[in-house]
Amino acid sequence: MGKYQRVREIIREVMKDGKVHTPEELERACEIEGVYLHKDRGPIYNIVHQLKQKGEIASDGENGYISINAERINMEPNNKCFMLETTQVNLSDFEIVKPSIRRKTKQVVSVFENGDIAMNEALVKLLNTGAVEIRIKRDCGQLLLIPNGEERIEIGKNSRFKNYEIYEKLKGRKVKFPVYYVGEWNEENEFWLGDLTTINPNRTVGRKGK
């Protein structure tokens, strides 16, 4: 193998790490591999120029070169990486955006001034039961629904039932009805936890007239 060809292989091998390398570093890499240029970097500059023409490497804008192939660095199936100019992008850090033309419905418990408690369809489907144990925090800030609880309250067929105990506790906090508990399912503890709010997040806001 000729000296020129050997230098080309060394440069390609060095550039595989995706980092910026100067001509001085490339010369030292050649010396480590037993190829001595004796301060004549002509072969390095010629090979770098050829590799730039082939689209394998690019100048970093100063006195170095970087692989633009980045050999598709670490392209394992579950940890794909790409090199965009000088920035490494790990695809595992990103989530795929799925088609979605409608806003996802929040799970909501509504409490009305007449003592009615209503669960919206999204929450009813999640619970998938006709009765739940209900617990309310002492400051009324949160509501717990436990499908497998011991003291369960029956939910009406229309997902609406009366409970004046919840109403009175909230009234004692001088809230303005209706109020809502918006939350989500806790898989680890197998309960639904909602936070108190005065705004129904699923309410559609109509366009105001001019």
Side-chain angles (χ1 to χ4, degrees):
M1 182 185 296
K3 183 176 181 180
Y4 202 89
Q5 186 175 354
R6 182 71 179 123
V7 172
R8 181 187 292 108
E9 288 186 356
I10 293 171
I11 292 176
R12 279 176 167 160
E13 188 63 29
V14 170
M15 301 302 294
K16 282 183 179 181
D17 63 4
K19 298 178 181 179
V20 175
H21 293 282
T22 64
E24 291 83 358
E25 291 175 350
L26 296 177
E27 182 182 1
R28 285 197 297 271
C30 289
E31 291 177 350
I32 292 173
E33 294 298 323
V35 180
Y36 297 94
L37 302 177
H38 305 290
K39 302 300 181 181
D40 177 15
R41 298 192 186 120
I44 290 178
Y45 291 122
N46 288 336
I47 293 170
V48 164
H49 177 74
Q50 292 175 4
L51 296 179
K52 287 171 65 177
Q53 293 293 102
K54 291 181 179 181
E56 293 186 27
I57 65 175
S59 172
D60 72 337
E62 296 181 0
N63 189 37
Y65 308 98
I66 188 169
S67 171
I68 56 178
N69 291 332
E71 62 170 353
R72 293 305 190 218
I73 299 175
N74 296 329
M75 287 224 7
E76 291 87 9
N78 297 321
N79 190 30
K80 294 182 180 179
C81 295
F82 294 94
M83 181 68 70
L84 303 179
E85 295 181 350
T86 60
T87 303
Q88 182 175 330
V89 177
N90 191 330
L91 295 188
S92 66
D93 293 335
F94 294 79
E95 296 180 353
I96 295 176
V97 177
K98 299 179 180 179
S100 178
I101 60 175
R102 294 183 179 180
R103 185 175 60 182
K104 186 177 180 180
T105 303
K106 300 286 187 180
Q107 300 158 11
V108 178
V109 174
S110 304
V111 184
F112 299 94
E113 194 165 11
N114 64 355
D116 278 2
I117 312 294
M119 300 181 184
N120 73 336
E121 185 178 358
L123 179 55
V124 171
K125 285 183 177 180
L126 170 74
L127 296 175
N128 192 29
T129 182
V132 294
E133 180 178 309
I134 301 176
R135 299 190 184 191
I136 189 168
K137 202 168 184 179
R138 288 185 174 84
D139 64 1
C140 298
Q142 291 182 308
L143 193 74
L144 269 177
L145 303 180
I146 309 174
N148 298 320
E150 296 180 0
E151 298 185 28
R152 300 196 298 170
I153 296 175
E154 291 190 6
I155 303 172
K157 291 183 179 180
N158 60 354
S159 307
R160 197 179 184 108
F161 59 96
K162 285 189 180 294
N163 190 287
Y164 288 105
E165 184 175 351
I166 293 176
Y167 165 74
E168 291 295 341
K169 288 180 181 295
L170 286 166
K171 185 179 179 182
R173 294 290 172 178
K174 297 181 179 180
V175 301
K176 184 177 180 181
F177 293 94
V179 295
Y180 310 93
Y181 286 95
V182 182
E184 58 186 24
W185 180 253
N186 185 303
E187 191 68 36
E188 181 179 355
N189 296 296
E190 296 186 342
F191 60 60
W192 183 89
L193 178 63
D195 295 315
L196 181 66
T197 177
T198 58
I199 299 173
N200 187 342
N202 298 323
R203 182 176 296 164
T204 303
V205 180
R207 183 180 297 178
K208 295 181 179 180
K210 295 181 180 180

